[in-house]
Amino acid sequence: MSDCIFCSIIKGEIPCTKVYEDDKIFSFLDIVPVNKGHTLVIPKEHKETILDLSEDSFRGLMAAVQKIAKAVIKAVGAKGFNVHINNGEVAGQVVKHAHIHIIPRFDGDGLQLWKGGKYKGMEAEQIKKDIVNFL
Ligand code: 5GP
Ligand code: ZN
């Protein structure tokens, strides 16, 4: 049994409700769905967050998310969907194997997105400069 629960799922050591698999990608229903059809898409290679993936692997992962999301929303009759990624414990990542949530959305499903704040003075301009410096 692997130390990583998602690696164990990929290997078939832990059962899951698989919806898709190819040589690089694995996808299955979340065991605690936020809404019906809540699906996880993961790379087969064990990497902690999306920042640890190569650009090629990330592109492949996102292409799979697009393909699977189209099927998920048709299957459950969703009106829209959220694509959500938790990176790091502080961001709510519990399973330390990079994964992308596809969360189908329905009218009146009660899910709420985050509340926005405000920048003060030149804060936004400074943050922009810092970001641009790191690009
Ligand atoms: P995170 O908070 O790390 O982004 O989300 C991890 C997700 O994995 C959670 O939504 C949780 O319900 C799901 N999960 C954790 N363990 C299992 C499992 O054994 N099987 C399945 N199908 N999903 C799991
Ligand atoms: Zn893993």
Side-chain angles (χ1 to χ4, degrees):
M1 182 79 76
S2 167
D3 281 350
C4 167
I5 195 159
F6 284 179
C7 283
S8 295
I9 286 175
I10 291 165
K11 286 184 203 149
E13 295 165 351
I14 293 176
C16 74
T17 314
K18 181 171 84 176
V19 299
Y20 179 80
E21 180 176 12
D22 64 26
D23 56 330
K24 296 195 171 83
I25 303 291
F26 198 92
S27 178
F28 52 103
L29 297 185
D30 196 296
I31 204 167
V32 187
V34 170
N35 269 341
K36 63 181 176 177
H38 181 174
T39 300
L40 301 173
V41 185
I42 68 178
K44 282 189 169 172
E45 56 176 335
H46 178 91
K47 297 286 181 187
E48 189 163 328
T49 78
I50 58 164
L51 297 187
D52 303 312
L53 293 167
S54 68
E55 199 175 321
D56 261 8
S57 298
F58 185 62
R59 279 181 204 276
L61 185 61
M62 291 312 291
V65 166
Q66 187 190 44
K67 176 190 172 93
I68 295 163
K70 280 180 189 165
V72 168
I73 60 170
K74 279 187 193 153
V76 299
K79 282 205 165 169
F81 64 104
N82 292 108
V83 170
H84 189 87
I85 313 175
N86 296 325
N87 295 284
E89 259 177 50
V90 73
Q93 185 178 10
V94 175
V95 178
K96 302 230 165 77
H97 181 130
H99 55 279
I100 302 190
H101 297 256
I102 297 170
I103 302 175
R105 299 300 304 269
F106 305 91
D107 280 331
D109 65 14
L111 290 184
Q112 296 202 335
L113 298 181
W114 51 81
K115 247 173 128 182
K118 270 190 180 158
Y119 287 119
K120 291 191 186 121
M122 295 302 286
E123 212 179 2
E125 197 53 33
Q126 187 56 53
I127 290 169
K128 183 210 83 169
K129 278 187 189 147
D130 293 340
I131 292 170
V132 170
N133 276 338
F134 281 112
L135 285 174

